[in-house]
Amino acid sequence: MRKAALAWAAAVVTAALAPRALAQLGLPPVSLVETGLLAMTPLALAAVGECLNEKAGLVNIGLEAIFMVTATVGVWFAEIGRSGIVGLLGGAATGSLLGLGMGAVSVYGKADQIIAGMGLNVFALGFVPFLLISLWAFPGVHVFPNELMVPRLTTPLGQVSPVTIGAVVAAVLAHLVLHRTVVGFRLCAAGEKPEAVDVAGLRVDRLRLLTATVGGALAGLGGAFLPLGWFGALVKEISAGRGFIALACVVFAGLEPLVALGAALLFGLADGFASAVAVTPGVKERVPFYFVSMIPYVVTLVVVAAVIGRRRFPSTVGRPYARE
Amino acid sequence: MRTPRALRPLAESLATVALGLVAGGLLVWAFGHSPVAAYRALVAGAFGTREDLLETLAFATPLMLTALTFAVGMRAGLFNIGAEGQMYLGAVGAACVAGMVPLPPGVHLGAATAAGMVAGALWALIPAALKAWRGAHEVISTIMCNWIALHLSMYLTITFLAEPGRAERTVPALPTARYPVLSEDSTLTAVVFVAVGVALLAYAYLWGTRAGYELRLAGENPDAARYAGVRPERVVTASFVLGGLAAGLAGASQVIGRPPAWSLYATMGNVATLGFDGIGVALVGRNHPVGGVLAAVLFGALAHGGRLMEYEVGVLSELVRALNGIIVFAMAVPELWKMVGRRLSR
């Protein structure tokens, strides 16, 4: 598990050093860890789901779209149900439907999954502003009542969202399911040798639909978390490329959920650092805001280029399975 | 009923667009508007008058080019979705030369165009290099480059290129760097000929040169290409540079080929999403440069007609982009066409 060690070491070293660097800049260190954990949460949720999905042989690059749509729908559910939790559940349900849709066209439509995922992303780019206007008659920002925010728990480390804990639990569960259970064994087989799974009398299509749905639900939970657990408002660009950063976590992790969690923490800290710097008096005047905003994307690009390189994936990943 | 072989792709593309329109109509209906009224306004807005027709072409021009970016990538077996960022940098490059560097007439126009194209191509080199040497997947690297390009372009626009007293946009292009307007009552300029010319050049390159053949071979059969001695890094670089040139020109076309502003907005408002829209255009155009030109006119009509739809029926024109996504989604599903084919041949 060299990769896991690497990811975790990088995240821990960053977490240990960054507060000191921040103190030098005059920033409160706790806010970085808090923001880093918040930023980690949607990335980890989506990445863990996508690890399962890709293990079983499907690729969903529409995570960005799922984030965008479920952030909007999540707020809508929260306002109807007068509760942030209802919003999170609504987001997860919507995400599972989108994931199931992607799974169905991939499995039964034998779609080119990258193109279909791109289609979903382009769709969301237009549909989300359309939805914002249709639901609230306002195109740019929608601020919802503060009591709909999912409350954070106070811990010795600072304020932590229960969803963050959920993301960690999801990663651990996914790891256990993949490596310790029969279902996990079958999932991996569906990605590596679908013929064998088929011959053994198991349904490759159902296994893949299952992972696509679970992956969508986790991404949807992450999407709804963006406004309801983190930002406190809704903008049409709310996901800001995080769906693709989650995909980078998946590639980085080589489809291992626990490594993906570490990668998400690393990218989350970069994101948190950017958010923290952007609002700090004394720094924001000296460093142009535009360069601060680039940090998470540059970090992702550098990590993708420097660390990931070529990776081996399940042999049938992204390819539809047809019975002979 | 059997359709002739050459017409099949065309029929499939049109059927997909029709499917997208039906799905879009359902969306309009689901949110309480009349799809008939919306589409009537859309068609009238796109083709109603001669000016509308020209305006449709003006909307189509940048899409021909961003579609080319995606199409050349797909021909090489790459998912280059970085047209968006390459286009931002192209717009910045063109705005810089057009507004800040006085040059003699003729030379200036050429220099501004070239600056846009080169800036786009240079930005495309980043994901190209990461792919060729590190194997970094281009979907992730191009998207990250798009976001970095957005912030970089906004920074450059506001810090170095802003019009004094009007920080929200760049210094307008000097008259010597503007493409001639073709008709008083539309925003169509001669840049449309450059766009079509570039598409034709790309076609000649892909189907008429050895390098173009190697690029397509690498896309269609990577193993055969490797046996034939085609170097993958060269194919990756060539396809990204070509795509970057086209995307850069798309960005430039909105600054020096589109009245009335003749400048780039600091929010990227007058170029944003043209790169993503190119994906749908390219797919409907079957990843063919000429097909892309034709498909761009169709999507240009949707984009221009969408404005009247918004004005008259109150359906947000962003819906057109959602429709675009539905079309891309449908294009991804080959089984759909096999099913339709089986029905038709019965």
Side-chain angles (χ1 to χ4, degrees):
Chain A
M1 292 302 281
R2 264 181 55 217
K3 289 173 293 195
L6 196 68
W8 281 103
V12 168
V13 168
T14 316
L17 291 181
R20 241 174 255 183
L22 286 177
Q24 293 281 316
L25 291 166
L27 289 165
V30 175
S31 83
L32 172 83
V33 178
E34 279 182 1
T35 328
L37 285 177
L38 289 174
M40 175 196 83
T41 305
L43 297 178
L45 286 167
V48 166
E50 183 61 11
C51 282
L52 294 174
N53 195 31
E54 294 195 14
K55 275 275 186 195
L58 296 183
V59 173
N60 181 0
I61 68 157
L63 296 179
E64 181 81 1
I66 298 184
F67 273 170
M68 287 167 79
V69 172
T70 56
T72 313
V73 174
V75 170
W76 186 56
F77 270 90
E79 288 189 350
I80 292 174
R82 296 172 194 282
S83 146
I85 308 287
V86 173
L88 291 181
L89 294 176
T94 310
S96 69
L97 286 179
L98 288 169
L100 179 66
M102 270 296 288
V105 296
S106 306
V107 169
Y108 299 116
K110 305 205 179 355
D112 184 318
Q113 292 166 30
I114 303 277
I115 303 269
M118 247 356 264
L120 199 60
N121 287 329
V122 174
F123 170 76
L125 226 48
F127 180 65
V128 165
F130 175 79
L131 204 58
L132 280 169
I133 290 266
S134 303
L135 294 177
W136 295 291
F138 207 75
V141 189
H142 175 67
V143 183
F144 50 84
N146 202 33
E147 60 264 24
L148 294 183
M149 285 292 282
V150 178
R152 290 174 199 159
L153 312 169
T154 309
T155 69
L157 280 169
Q159 300 235 303
V160 176
S161 173
V163 185
T164 306
I165 299 167
V168 175
V169 171
V172 174
L173 271 181
H175 173 83
L176 292 177
V177 166
L178 272 182
H179 297 292
R180 299 282 156 82
T181 67
V182 182
V183 177
F185 176 73
R186 287 173 182 165
L187 284 185
C188 296
E192 286 290 352
K193 273 234 168 299
E195 314 83 54
V197 176
D198 202 352
V199 170
L202 296 161
R203 298 284 297 263
V204 176
D205 55 345
R206 288 199 190 151
L207 280 169
R208 289 185 171 178
L209 284 182
L210 175 74
T211 59
T213 311
V214 171
L218 287 172
L221 180 61
F225 171 81
L226 287 170
L228 293 168
W230 184 5
F231 294 132
L234 191 60
V235 284
K236 66 179 198 282
E237 309 90 349
I238 193 158
S239 60
R242 289 192 179 86
F244 290 94
I245 297 182
L247 284 173
C249 293
V250 175
V251 184
F252 179 90
L255 309 188
E256 287 302 326
L258 286 180
V259 192
L261 181 68
L265 180 59
L266 184 65
F267 290 125
L269 286 169
D271 202 344
F273 182 75
S275 313
V277 170
V279 296
T280 304
V283 181
K284 68 178 178 190
E285 288 84 7
R286 259 171 277 168
V287 187
F289 168 69
Y290 305 99
F291 290 105
V292 177
S293 313
M294 283 180 206
I295 293 172
Y297 311 110
V298 174
V299 168
T300 307
L301 198 61
V302 168
V303 169
V304 165
V307 188
I308 296 176
R310 285 176 179 79
R311 269 267 146 87
R312 195 190 161 271
F313 279 105
S315 56
T316 65
V317 92
R319 238 175 278 154
Y321 170 64
R323 285 181 120 164
E324 297 298 317
Chain B
M1 197 185 93
R2 296 196 62 157
T3 36
R5 223 176 131 252
L7 286 179
R8 255 198 83 137
L10 186 68
E12 285 180 5
S13 286
L14 290 178
T16 314
V17 172
L19 190 83
L21 288 171
V22 170
L26 285 176
L27 266 181
V28 170
W29 177 73
F31 284 93
H33 302 278
S34 155
V36 178
Y39 281 139
R40 189 178 293 152
L42 190 96
V43 173
F47 302 112
T49 62
R50 196 187 75 99
E51 297 86 69
D52 284 325
L53 205 61
L54 292 176
E55 199 59 24
T56 286
L57 287 177
F59 272 92
T61 305
L63 299 180
M64 298 172 187
L65 295 162
T66 51
L68 193 60
T69 307
F70 186 74
V72 174
M74 283 296 279
R75 287 286 171 190
L78 297 163
F79 292 95
N80 178 1
I81 43 181
E84 188 76 16
Q86 293 151 23
M87 182 192 58
Y88 294 157
L89 267 299
V92 169
C96 175
V97 172
M100 313 290 272
V101 190
L103 285 169
V107 180
H108 199 186
L109 184 62
T113 309
M117 294 177 81
V118 170
L122 286 176
W123 194 250
L125 277 179
I126 301 173
L130 296 182
K131 175 78 185 181
W133 293 316
R134 300 289 314 162
H137 201 289
E138 67 278 8
V139 167
I140 293 172
S141 60
T142 48
I143 287 282
M144 292 305 126
C145 283
N146 286 346
W147 281 96
I148 298 168
L150 172 68
H151 295 297
L152 182 63
S153 306
M154 291 201 290
Y155 171 72
L156 293 173
T157 302
I158 288 174
T159 316
F160 300 108
L161 302 172
E163 188 177 0
R166 291 196 66 170
E168 83 275 13
R169 66 182 208 195
T170 62
V171 179
L174 296 168
T176 44
R178 296 179 184 181
Y179 279 92
V181 181
L182 294 180
S183 163
E184 281 292 297
D185 34 44
S186 84
T187 65
L188 185 66
T189 65
V191 79
V192 65
F193 301 121
V194 184
V196 174
V198 166
L200 291 176
L201 277 177
Y203 172 64
Y205 172 82
L206 286 172
W207 273 273
T209 68
R210 189 196 154 90
Y213 172 73
E214 289 185 350
L215 188 147
R216 287 186 296 120
L217 184 64
E220 265 165 39
N221 193 337
D223 294 328
R226 212 168 304 124
Y227 277 119
V230 176
R231 303 227 321 260
E233 318 88 66
R234 279 184 50 183
V235 167
V236 169
T237 314
S239 86
F240 267 95
V241 166
L242 237 121
L245 289 171
L249 178 58
S253 78
Q254 300 304 290
V255 176
I256 56 176
R258 194 90 188 257
W262 301 107
S263 61
L264 175 65
Y265 292 114
T267 53
M268 302 292 120
N270 56 336
V271 290
T273 73
L274 289 171
F276 286 115
D277 295 348
I279 298 171
V281 179
L283 288 168
V284 169
R286 294 296 163 140
N287 298 321
H288 192 288
V290 179
V293 170
L294 298 176
V297 175
L298 184 72
F299 280 78
L302 290 176
H304 175 53
R307 301 200 303 183
L308 191 71
M309 181 181 75
E310 182 164 339
Y311 178 72
E312 281 201 344
V313 193
V315 175
L316 192 68
S317 61
E318 299 277 358
L319 179 78
V320 167
R321 194 153 294 120
L323 219 139
N324 193 337
I326 297 172
I327 293 171
V328 175
F329 198 72
M331 287 303 282
V333 189
E335 288 300 295
L336 215 60
W337 307 119
K338 283 191 198 144
M339 280 189 288
V340 173
R342 277 198 292 269
R343 285 280 146 74
L344 286 178
S345 59
R346 205 173 279 164

